[in-house]
Amino acid sequence: MTILPVAYLPSTEYFARLLRDECVIDIGEHFIKRSQRNRAYILTANGVMPLTVNVRNANRPRTPVRDVRIDYSKRWQHLHSMAIRSAYAATPFYEHYADALMPFYEKRYEFLTDYNLELLSLLLRLAHADRDLKVSDTYIEAAADDTDLRIKKRESGFQSAPYFQSFSDRFDFVSGMSFIDLLFAEGPSATDVLTRCRW
């Protein structure tokens, strides 16, 4: 079994694991700052850009991720929507998916897990990936044969199958970007690309 953290605009690796393995998303684990729980990476004209969802009470030790609240005192939603539009407006499938994605940058959610899980469900539907999400609200003790991606750093042995990325005229292929990078580039073929990924 693969144990995943709840993630904001999850990476291509996250999606590849989700579609390939038996997975459970652990929302009972402790929140880790500056992690995929509230941070995603997109490719822009200036290179890789992190997008961070601002949260409240994240400095309290041992706060379960399910209890972390979103902080709207800064305009992160506006900044993220503008960055996504700037990075991907010229991609083949941006116009096809943007209208479904943009409400997540207008509506307010109280809890980070609610926001992330609804966004993940939307991305799965847009990718036509028939996958039910299994979520645990209590911490999962990993067994010896489990793959525990809660503790894995962004750098891993994962290699995405190459696809055409925005700004490929400026940069070599960058693996590990948010799944939206792949979705906007490949559209309905995005899940086919994920089947060619390697660990």
Side-chain angles (χ1 to χ4, degrees):
M1 177 173 70
T2 298
I3 305 169
L4 297 168
V6 67
Y8 171 58
L9 291 178
S11 68
T12 52
E13 177 180 7
Y14 190 103
F15 261 82
R17 294 276 187 182
L18 191 61
L19 298 180
R20 192 179 291 180
D21 300 341
E22 178 187 342
C23 297
V24 62
I25 299 170
D26 184 354
I27 63 171
E29 64 158 347
H30 298 144
F31 179 74
I32 300 172
K33 294 191 296 185
R34 298 184 196 96
S35 71
Q36 62 186 317
R37 291 147 188 87
N38 69 321
R39 183 174 288 183
Y41 296 88
I42 62 171
L43 188 60
T44 71
N46 295 318
V48 176
M49 177 182 185
L51 299 177
T52 304
V53 175
N54 292 16
V55 295
R56 294 187 288 146
N57 304 326
N59 292 329
R60 293 182 181 163
R62 300 182 178 254
T63 301
V65 71
R66 70 175 177 267
D67 295 337
V68 174
R69 290 175 170 18
I70 298 176
D71 180 2
Y72 293 100
S73 64
K74 295 181 182 150
R75 299 180 60 203
W76 66 266
Q77 284 180 301
H78 174 73
L79 296 174
H80 290 203
S81 67
M82 296 303 291
I84 291 168
R85 184 176 296 114
S86 175
Y88 298 112
T91 59
F93 292 94
Y94 177 80
E95 291 295 326
H96 188 71
Y97 298 120
D99 286 346
L101 188 63
M102 285 306 134
F104 283 88
Y105 298 97
E106 297 163 359
K107 181 180 174 184
R108 290 188 173 208
Y109 290 76
E110 184 174 0
F111 292 98
L112 180 65
T113 53
D114 294 339
Y115 181 73
N116 285 349
L117 289 172
E118 281 193 41
L119 185 53
L120 177 58
S121 294
L122 170 72
L123 293 173
L124 286 167
R125 285 193 309 275
L126 294 178
H128 302 289
D130 185 22
R131 191 70 166 165
D132 290 329
L133 294 177
K134 294 179 185 172
V135 177
S136 174
D137 61 355
T138 57
Y139 182 78
I140 301 168
E141 290 290 342
D145 59 342
D146 288 340
T147 302
D148 190 351
L149 294 181
R150 296 171 298 185
I151 56 174
K152 208 168 196 178
K153 300 218 185 290
R154 185 170 173 263
E155 301 81 20
S156 69
F158 175 76
Q159 293 180 349
S160 178
Y163 54 90
F164 183 79
Q165 288 180 310
S166 294
F167 314 110
S168 60
D169 57 330
R170 300 178 199 189
F171 308 108
D172 291 336
F173 179 78
V174 182
S175 184
M177 294 295 94
S178 168
F179 177 71
I180 64 170
D181 187 79
L182 172 59
L183 186 66
F184 288 144
E186 296 288 335
S189 301
T191 54
D192 294 335
V193 172
L194 292 179
T195 63
R196 300 193 303 270
C197 295
R198 299 174 187 243
W199 286 272

